[in-house]
Amino acid sequence: EADIYQTPRYLVIGTGKKITLECSQTMGHDKMYWYQQDPGMELHLIHYSYGVNSTEKGDLSSESTVSRIRTEHFPLTLESARPSHTSQYLCASTPNTGELFFGEGSRLTVL
Amino acid sequence: RKEVEQDPGPFNVPEGATVAFNCTYSNSASQSFFWYRQDCRKEPKLLMSVYSSGNEDGRFTAQLNRASQYISLLIRDSKLSDSATYLCVPGRSYIPTFGRGTSLIVHP
């Protein structure tokens, strides 16, 4: 089993609220990723990090931001949530061999 | 052009059937791939890795065809529990990207 955890698993909030989705892994992986996925659709990469203090935007434009202050922690923040942000957010990490280990996801609903 | 292309399906097969689907890739330098399985509303999970020699794990066999730039996944003796979306991803990609995958439905 992969040691990567996401919290909260489910979140329902009102428009305009600030939220942070947490992602932690205990495998010591340098590379971490955030994907966004709508039902029945493909995963879209929104942020990635190659290590501490490294963050990059993915191929899908996102109003979220990320930080990587510690190797094991890669939180994603939305300063002002909107209904268009309703989606599932999946965090993943990878060792040098390339396979991705995913967390169970955070399902966000913005009312 | 996307890194990989897959037939979205769905492939609808009876229990016990053998089913195969392909994943074509654009980067001829890719030497390894991963197949993931994603159940509805769940996270993708690694199914198997594929290198030049292919890979077999129980009922699952994956092959890499470099000349035609595709990888295949063969599932023998399909089970109801094999119903899922199957995703292929190039290995050692700095920015792993996914397509929509191939949907498999195994019915009684």
Side-chain angles (χ1 to χ4, degrees):
Chain A
E1 289 293 319
D3 294 321
I4 180 165
Y5 308 100
Q6 290 186 242
T7 57
R9 291 288 311 284
Y10 303 93
L11 180 63
V12 181
I13 60 167
T15 297
K17 300 292 186 183
K18 176 180 178 179
I19 62 154
T20 296
L21 304 180
E22 303 286 351
C23 176
S24 296
Q25 51 94 6
T26 57
M27 299 173 281
H29 294 165
D30 286 325
K31 296 176 186 168
M32 297 188 72
Y33 307 87
W34 275 104
Y35 292 87
Q36 183 176 342
Q37 185 179 35
D38 293 321
M41 304 300 288
E42 62 200 87
L43 286 86
H44 289 287
L45 181 68
I46 52 175
H47 297 283
Y48 59 98
S49 168
Y50 290 157
V52 171
N53 294 326
S54 151
T55 61
E56 301 287 343
K57 288 188 178 291
D59 57 2
L60 180 68
S61 175
S62 174
E63 293 163 345
S64 57
T65 58
V66 292
S67 62
R68 191 85 183 277
I69 298 171
R70 301 197 324 258
T71 297
E72 61 271 22
H73 198 211
F74 190 38
L76 180 145
T77 298
L78 276 165
E79 289 294 332
S80 179
R82 295 206 300 270
S84 60
H85 296 138
T86 295
S87 189
Q88 173 159 259
Y89 294 83
L90 289 156
C91 180
S93 70
T94 181
N96 290 333
T97 44
E99 63 269 41
L100 289 164
F101 295 91
F102 285 87
E104 292 183 301
S106 292
R107 193 171 297 278
L108 173 65
T109 301
V110 183
L111 303 175
Chain B
R1 184 180 176 183
K2 291 191 175 183
E3 280 192 289
V4 295
E5 299 276 359
Q6 292 180 255
D7 180 347
F11 285 63
N12 209 316
V13 304
E15 269 188 293
T18 294
V19 61
F21 23 83
N22 293 337
C23 167
T24 58
Y25 60 94
S26 58
N27 184 355
S28 59
S30 297
Q31 298 187 27
S32 62
F33 295 84
F34 298 103
W35 279 105
Y36 294 85
R37 169 205 169 113
Q38 185 174 26
D39 293 301
C40 186
R41 299 171 73 84
K42 298 281 191 178
E43 76 278 16
K45 292 187 177 180
L46 181 68
L47 179 65
M48 60 197 318
S49 53
V50 191
Y51 301 98
S52 57
S53 58
N55 198 358
E56 183 172 335
D57 183 4
R59 298 181 295 109
F60 298 83
T61 300
Q63 295 286 345
L64 170 59
N65 185 315
R66 287 179 170 274
S68 301
Q69 290 189 211
Y70 73 87
I71 58 173
S72 61
L73 180 66
L74 178 78
I75 305 175
R76 290 180 295 277
D77 189 23
S78 299
K79 312 290 185 189
L80 295 176
S81 57
D82 293 334
S83 298
T85 297
Y86 292 84
L87 305 156
C88 69
V89 180
R92 298 191 180 278
S93 172
Y94 287 109
I95 307 177
T97 55
F98 292 80
R100 290 189 63 177
T102 297
S103 174
L104 173 65
I105 300 171
V106 182
H107 58 81

